[in-house]
Amino acid sequence: MNIKNKKGAVLLFTSVGWFLVLSGRLTISTLLIRIEKSLNIDHTMAGFAITGMWFSYGIMQFPSGIWSDIKGRKVTILFAFVSFGTAFLLLALSFYYILFFFFLVILGIGSGCFQTASISMLSDLYKKDRGKALGMQASSGSIAGLMPIVLPLLASRFHWRGIFLLWSVLSFVVAWLFYRYSIETTKLPGKVSIKERLIDGIMVLRQKTTRLFFMVNLILVFTWMGFGSFFPTYMIENKGLSALRAGIAFSILSFSGILLKPVIGVLSDRYNKKAIITVLLFISAAAAGFLVRTSSFPLVCLFSFLLSFVTSIFLVINSYLMHFWEERGRGGKLGFYRSLTILIGSPTSVLIGYSATKYGFDFPFSVLAVLLSIAAIVLLITLVTERISLNE
């Protein structure tokens, strides 16, 4: 297999891997009411378990990034495939809350090793069309957005445990295909100082541009974790939608990225990335605010589509930072950046679960809409300031 086909294989299998990671998360959110009943738990307990998953997912970003720099992208991604495949299998066998909690943490560890290494691997291979490649990978993950429609139907026939078993089998199959047909994409260093790589990653926050995007990224993480964890439950309990309609709206929220991300990825290769992010932030903030205010199913679908622009912002930020950072130690830098944002954002699920139990879902989701608006305004001010400085 020549290098061109190897590049295509890497893009294909990292895209399928991202689909499996997101499908596993969506299975938890979509079938949360069934899982809660089966394990006899409430929203707060479910929120703690989901927070445990996000915490372990976040904490693995940095070490996996460093590991991919010094031991190779390929071995890191292989470890991720095997780990989250094993976690899916164990989740299918969890009959008690404590086991469910623990296995979600394992899922977070496995999936946390995947995306930093895969983004770095694609950035190594696709230098000119990096935004396009990252957009294609991100959009493949959006195919998982169909799951909220499909999963309730499958769960009624095979039980939610059977669905996790299916994800486990697929993960192991794709792991073998990735091992067989992919290539290593980074030049491994002969001598490595772990301390130097740690410091190198931590020092990225000294850069003004990185700090700006860190703030934006953190708000996006709050928003996506919040809506991603409880969206179907919110639609059913507060909006009065049926499980099917809630699933359709959740699918629109998750699946629309398959259309948006490749286009936005190409645009980010050609035009001002900050301007693109600012426009997407304003659209997402408006959608989140209106979504809280309406119970009309057609309007819920419309605002769910517009809110899905949040996921496109992630890929534009990733593309910008991968251009901004030099190739040496890129995985460690991205890993530290992703670890910090996800770790700080990881309590979002339990906070929203607790707030929803005490005050209802409208309150925490209104707060998220306000935060998105603040991020959009700050970025707009930054753009205007830069434009004035250039004209002086």
Side-chain angles (χ1 to χ4, degrees):
M1 186 181 286
N2 59 39
I3 185 64
K4 183 176 180 180
N5 290 336
K6 289 283 189 181
K7 285 175 64 175
V10 168
L11 179 57
L12 172 63
F13 296 128
T14 56
S15 297
V16 175
W18 190 228
F19 164 80
L20 289 170
V21 169
L22 295 186
S23 293
R25 289 186 201 157
L26 288 174
T27 298
I28 297 165
S29 301
T30 304
L31 303 180
L32 188 60
I33 292 177
R34 294 172 185 261
I35 294 172
E36 287 177 349
K37 289 181 179 179
S38 180
L39 300 177
N40 194 28
I41 60 176
D42 60 19
H43 295 332
T44 303
M45 295 177 72
F48 269 113
I50 295 171
T51 289
M53 177 190 70
W54 281 117
F55 184 84
S56 59
Y57 174 79
I59 207 168
M60 290 307 299
Q61 302 291 320
F62 192 18
S64 68
I66 293 176
W67 188 259
S68 75
D69 284 337
I70 64 178
K71 295 298 182 181
R73 320 286 195 216
K74 183 174 180 177
V75 68
T76 306
I77 294 173
L78 272 174
F79 172 79
F81 269 122
V82 173
S83 296
F84 64 69
T86 302
F88 287 142
L89 176 62
L90 294 173
L91 281 169
L93 302 175
S94 59
F95 290 92
Y96 301 98
Y97 172 72
I98 189 64
L99 293 177
F100 178 74
F101 182 100
F102 180 66
F103 296 152
L104 274 188
V105 171
I106 296 177
L107 176 61
I109 292 172
S111 57
C113 292
F114 183 81
Q115 191 66 340
T116 297
S118 66
I119 289 173
S120 299
M121 192 177 223
L122 291 174
S123 296
D124 294 340
L125 288 172
Y126 294 88
K127 301 184 186 302
K128 292 183 179 179
D129 298 325
R130 185 171 292 146
K132 181 179 180 181
L134 294 177
M136 291 177 67
Q137 191 218 20
S139 67
S140 71
S142 297
I143 298 175
L146 290 174
M147 293 301 104
I149 297 176
V150 177
L151 288 172
L153 301 176
L154 290 177
S156 62
R157 185 178 179 88
F158 300 107
H159 201 273
W160 60 268
R161 302 182 192 280
I163 296 172
F164 282 119
L165 183 61
L166 172 63
W167 296 146
S168 177
V169 172
L170 290 175
S171 298
F172 289 125
V173 170
V174 179
W176 182 85
L177 292 173
F178 177 79
Y179 170 76
R180 179 71 177 80
Y181 295 107
S182 67
I183 56 173
E184 182 53 66
T185 63
T186 189
K187 184 177 179 181
L188 303 180
K191 185 179 180 181
V192 179
S193 169
I194 299 296
K195 181 180 178 181
E196 179 185 335
R197 291 301 173 92
L198 287 169
I199 294 173
D200 194 36
I202 293 169
M203 294 300 282
V204 297
L205 287 182
R206 293 185 65 183
Q207 301 163 343
K208 183 178 179 181
T209 299
T210 304
R211 290 198 302 270
L212 173 65
F213 282 119
F214 177 80
M215 181 275 293
V216 174
N217 221 136
L218 191 57
I219 291 173
L220 294 173
V221 167
F222 290 152
T223 303
W224 201 244
M225 283 185 182
F227 278 98
S229 299
F230 289 102
F231 188 87
T233 306
Y234 178 35
M235 292 296 107
I236 293 170
E237 292 190 357
N238 281 57
K239 305 298 183 182
L241 301 185
S242 65
L244 178 60
R245 287 194 168 192
I248 291 172
F250 196 28
S251 284
I252 292 172
L253 176 66
S254 307
F255 182 69
S256 300
I258 195 173
L259 304 174
L260 302 172
K261 290 172 185 174
V263 175
I264 292 172
V266 171
L267 290 175
S268 73
D269 287 331
R270 299 179 181 179
Y271 302 104
N272 188 303
K273 292 179 175 61
K274 285 186 180 179
I276 293 173
I277 293 169
T278 303
V279 172
L280 295 177
L281 277 171
F282 274 111
I283 293 173
S284 302
F290 285 121
L291 190 60
V292 172
R293 298 296 179 182
T294 185
S295 296
S296 166
F297 178 61
L299 289 178
V300 164
C301 291
L302 172 62
F303 296 134
S304 296
F305 170 75
L306 295 176
L307 186 59
S308 69
F309 279 70
V310 165
T311 58
S312 300
I313 304 173
F314 286 118
L315 79 90
V316 182
I317 292 176
N318 288 337
S319 178
Y320 183 91
L321 293 176
M322 297 310 267
H323 279 291
F324 185 68
W325 295 330
E326 69 276 11
E327 185 172 350
R328 180 184 175 277
R330 179 184 283 158
K333 291 181 178 70
L334 181 64
F336 176 77
Y337 177 89
R338 285 172 59 84
S339 273
L340 203 56
T341 55
I342 296 169
L343 284 174
I344 295 174
S346 62
T348 301
S349 297
V350 68
L351 289 174
I352 289 182
Y354 173 78
S355 298
T357 301
K358 195 165 185 179
Y359 306 110
F361 281 109
D362 285 342
F363 172 69
F365 288 141
S366 295
V367 172
L368 294 179
V370 171
L371 289 175
L372 283 171
S373 301
I374 292 172
I377 292 169
V378 169
L379 210 55
L380 178 61
I381 292 171
T382 302
L383 275 171
V384 172
T385 303
E386 289 177 353
R387 180 60 62 90
I388 293 173
S389 298
L390 289 173
N391 292 334
E392 289 179 348

